[in-house]
């Protein structure tokens, strides 16, 4: 097996591991903090929670059924690679939403969540859901529901997925005031209770959307490096070969020494910086480096500018 094949296998395993971890965090946020408090958010999870409260049918079944249609649409628009990861994520989320309700002790939920009040549960549950969604999306997957719609929209527009999810969910929760809503006992809630539940739902989706954005912004953050070294040729070859990043060679002149020098400019993901610095120092321990954060990077290997074709 070649080194390139090994890297591809490692990358695939890493992506699916992070998607799995993200889905587990997402579903635990619902199972531990939101569902026991009879809360519902927006999107498919919120609808599934309402169905469970009214009929007793566990969230996982309706969650999977509603997502099936969205999944078919996403396969045609976003592509089969995304679809495979999303099928895995939806199956896993559907299973976990049901299974976690049977294995997590009621006393644990009482002590860890219910006893802390609804507001704190809404914040913690929304944060866990947003963190899980962000982790899944960052690896090309999705927990289903409104984040599928968000990825479809962001494929063509420069809009953050978290903001799209927030707008859709706010619309759904606002609409819930106009239709019958049911509590855990299956009885229709009076308007006052529906309004209070909707307020908690707004808190959940606001926290969820912002946490998802924060995670995605961190995972996609890029840095710019300027590298000055007598071994600039060897360093440039190493960066291009091992890190698959472009290197620009700038002509410079040291004002103190009055000697010409070459300066390497590299843009890479922040997550790669530590490994890149170690590799540079192995080649030239005396290399002079400057690192700065950049607001946005568009082009091959980074983000792309979305625009509507005429």
């Amino acid at each position: 097996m070649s080194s390139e094949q090994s890297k591809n296998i490692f990358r695939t395993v890493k992506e699916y591991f992070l998607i799995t971890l993200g889905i587990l965090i997402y579903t635990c946020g619902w199972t531990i903090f939101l569902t026991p408090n009879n809360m519902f958010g927006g999107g498919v999870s919120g609808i599934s929670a309402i169905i469970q409260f009214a009929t007793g049918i566990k969230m996982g079944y309706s969650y999977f059924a509603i997502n099936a249609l969205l999944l078919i649409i996403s396969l045609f628009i976003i592509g089969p690679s995304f679809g495979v990861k999303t099928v895995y994520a939806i199956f896993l989320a559907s299973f976990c939403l049901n299974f976690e309700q049977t294995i997590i002790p009621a006393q644990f939920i009482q002590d860890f969540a219910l006893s802390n009040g609804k507001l704190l549960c809404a914040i913690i549950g929304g944060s866990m859901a947003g963190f899980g969604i962000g982790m899944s999306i960052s690896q090309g997957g999705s927990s289903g529901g409104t984040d599928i719609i968000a990825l479809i929209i962001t494929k063509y527009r420069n809009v953050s997925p978290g903001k799209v999810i927030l707008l859709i969910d706010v619309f759904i929760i606002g609409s819930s005031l106009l239709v019958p809503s049911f509590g855990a006992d299956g009885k229709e809630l009076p308007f006052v209770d529906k309004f209070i539940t909707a307020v908690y739902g707004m808190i959940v989706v606001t926290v969820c959307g912002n946490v998802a954005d924060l995670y995605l912004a961190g995972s996609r953050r890029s840095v710019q490096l300027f590298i000055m070294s007598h071994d600039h040729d060897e360093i440039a070859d190493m960066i291009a070969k091992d890190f698959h990043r472009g290197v620009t060679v700038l002509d410079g002149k040291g004002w103190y020494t009055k000697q010409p020098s070459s300066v390497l400019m590299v843009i890479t993901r922040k997550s790669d910086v530590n490994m890149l610095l170690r590799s540079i120092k192995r080649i030239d321990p005396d290399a002079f480096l400057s690192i700065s954060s950049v607001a946005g990077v568009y082009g091959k290997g980074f983000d792309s500018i979305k625009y509507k074709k005429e």
Side-chain angles (χ1 to χ4, degrees):
M1 182 182 296
S2 65
S3 60
E4 189 65 30
Q5 289 176 323
S6 299
K7 288 181 180 179
N8 289 336
I9 293 174
F10 175 78
R11 187 183 304 113
T12 301
V13 171
K14 176 186 174 184
E15 288 174 352
Y16 277 90
F17 172 77
L18 291 177
I19 290 173
T20 302
L21 182 60
I23 293 299
L24 289 175
I25 295 173
Y26 171 79
T27 54
C28 282
W30 273 96
T31 305
I32 298 174
F33 294 97
L34 301 181
T35 305
N37 280 289
N38 295 334
M39 292 185 194
F40 61 89
V44 175
S45 299
I47 297 172
S48 300
I50 294 173
I51 293 174
Q52 176 172 314
F53 298 154
T55 65
I57 298 174
K58 290 185 178 180
M59 287 181 64
Y61 298 117
S62 55
Y63 180 89
F64 178 79
I66 297 171
N67 272 303
L69 180 60
L70 290 174
L71 178 60
I72 294 172
I73 295 173
S74 70
L75 287 172
F76 286 101
I77 296 178
I78 299 177
S81 177
F82 171 84
V84 170
K85 292 178 181 177
T86 302
V87 169
Y88 171 74
I90 290 176
F91 267 109
L92 181 63
S94 301
F95 172 77
C96 290
L97 285 170
N98 287 350
F99 184 64
E100 287 171 0
Q101 293 186 50
T102 62
I103 65 169
I104 298 178
Q107 189 61 45
F108 174 83
I109 295 176
Q110 175 65 40
D111 296 339
F112 200 68
L114 296 178
S115 61
N116 292 318
K118 284 192 173 183
L119 179 59
L120 190 60
C121 286
I123 294 173
I124 297 176
S127 298
M128 291 179 67
F131 188 86
I133 288 173
M135 182 177 290
S136 181
I137 290 178
S138 70
Q139 302 303 314
S142 167
S143 61
T146 52
D147 43 319
I148 291 181
I149 301 174
L151 284 176
I152 292 173
I153 293 174
T154 56
K155 180 179 175 68
Y156 302 102
R157 291 289 184 272
N158 283 317
V159 183
S160 67
K163 285 190 172 111
V164 175
I165 293 170
L166 174 61
L167 290 174
I168 296 173
D169 290 350
V170 166
F171 175 78
I172 292 173
I173 292 175
S175 301
S176 69
L177 296 173
L178 306 176
V179 297
S181 297
F182 300 91
D185 56 1
K187 294 182 180 180
E188 184 175 348
L189 298 175
F191 182 81
V192 174
D193 290 344
K194 287 200 300 181
F195 180 79
I196 294 173
T197 303
V199 171
Y200 280 117
M202 293 289 188
I203 295 173
V204 170
V205 298
T206 301
V207 172
C208 180
N210 281 281
V211 171
D213 270 353
L214 286 173
Y215 182 91
L216 291 171
S219 65
R220 294 175 179 174
R221 191 172 299 168
S222 299
V223 295
Q224 180 176 269
L225 290 85
F226 288 101
I227 306 165
M228 285 153 275
S229 170
H230 294 296
D231 300 313
H232 58 273
D233 288 340
E234 187 177 352
I235 292 174
D237 289 339
M238 177 271 297
I239 294 173
K241 180 180 179 182
D242 296 342
F243 291 86
H244 305 286
R245 292 298 181 191
V247 181
T248 301
V249 182
L250 307 175
D251 293 329
K253 180 180 180 180
W255 191 249
Y256 179 78
T257 62
K258 301 299 189 294
Q259 298 296 319
S261 62
S262 294
V263 181
L264 305 181
M265 184 186 75
V266 182
I267 295 178
T268 188
R269 296 294 187 192
K270 187 176 181 180
S271 57
D272 295 332
V273 169
N274 290 333
M275 188 178 297
L276 178 57
L277 292 180
R278 287 197 294 268
S279 299
I280 293 172
K281 287 300 182 180
R282 278 198 295 267
I283 296 174
D284 181 6
D286 298 321
F288 184 86
L289 300 101
S290 171
I291 305 175
S292 59
S293 297
V294 291
V297 182
Y298 300 95
K300 186 175 182 180
F302 294 91
D303 297 329
S304 59
I305 299 176
K306 283 87 172 180
Y307 66 94
K308 184 176 181 181
K309 293 182 179 180
E310 297 295 337

